[in-house]
Amino acid sequence: METELKGSFMELRKALFQLNTKDASLLSTAQALLHWHDGHQFCSRSGQPTKKNMAGSKRVCPSNKIIYYPQMAPVVITLVSDGTRCLLARQSSFPKGMYSALAGFCDIGESLEEAVRREVAEEVGLEVERLQYSASQHWPFPNSSLMIACHATVKSGQTEIQVNLRELEAAGWFSHDEVATALRRNNPYTQQQNGTFWLPPKLAIAHQLIKEWVEKPNCSTLPA
């Protein structure tokens, strides 16, 4: 196929650096649906094989007629600021040199605000004073998630980071100039430089969250 179409296959994560918004959304949806169908081939109650409908939007158990629909897990992704700097972190699973905003799954029974405060406290030991909702986005990796993006500020004088090494590999405060420079870098997969860090691709909501902060550092103004 690669020879016939004069192209080559690549990881979808890397492709996001090159795709436009429309194509990226289409491929992300397809990736999520294929992964969901692969993991829901049997009914959790009867154990019998399920069957998908023509559109691929659901699966049905023939024995008890239970209908299964694709689901997304809610995830809060938060860019923390102390007013002049923002906090970026990385997990060991991230590509080398990449830093992003803090992120974590919402627990059952939590509100959005509670999830943000808990995740920030758990991962870096900081207490959120104010937060502001930014936007949301479907994200297919590793499973289908609804990314809920927020800006948050921490209490004055309480900016000492305590990195939870079970969750993160590293975290730190970055200046406005450092982050602005990172935003201007091209595709890091092909242009990595020693001693520099890079940010998620433009189509990722983490990138948009960081860009908002660079363009308006004091955007986290609402009380939590």
Side-chain angles (χ1 to χ4, degrees), residues 184-220:
R184 291 193 292 267
R185 294 194 182 103
N186 294 322
N187 188 343
Y189 279 110
T190 59
Q191 297 185 3
Q192 288 194 13
Q193 302 176 32
N194 293 330
T196 62
F197 71 96
W198 51 280
L199 303 171
K202 292 181 179 180
L203 293 177
I205 200 166
H207 184 103
Q208 299 304 317
L209 200 58
I210 294 167
K211 184 179 178 183
E212 283 180 353
W213 178 81
V214 167
E215 294 176 347
K216 192 176 181 181
N218 296 319
C219 56
S220 310

Side-chain angles (χ1 to χ4, degrees), residues 1 26 33 36 43 69 85 102 111 128 170 214:
M1 184 181 294
L26 181 63
L33 279 174
W36 179 81
C43 176
Y69 295 98
R85 303 172 298 175
L102 300 176
S111 67
V128 170
V214 167

Side-chain angles (χ1 to χ4, degrees), residues 118-143:
R118 176 184 55 77
E119 281 294 332
V120 173
E122 284 182 358
E123 295 191 351
V124 292
L126 297 175
E127 185 176 354
V128 170
E129 182 178 34
R130 298 173 182 273
L131 68 88
Q132 180 179 12
Y133 169 78
S134 173
S136 63
Q137 178 189 47
H138 166 253
W139 191 247
F141 310 111
N143 300 309

Side-chain angles (χ1 to χ4, degrees), residues 4 10 12-13 21 25 30 37 67 73 83 88 94-95 110 136 144 154 156 162 166 176 186 206 219:
E4 183 177 343
M10 67 186 304
L12 183 55
R13 285 179 183 268
T21 302
S25 177
H37 281 292
I67 301 175
L88 300 175
F94 284 7
E110 279 187 325
S136 63
S144 211
V154 294
S156 177
Q162 298 176 10
R166 292 175 297 179
H176 183 275
N186 294 322
C219 56

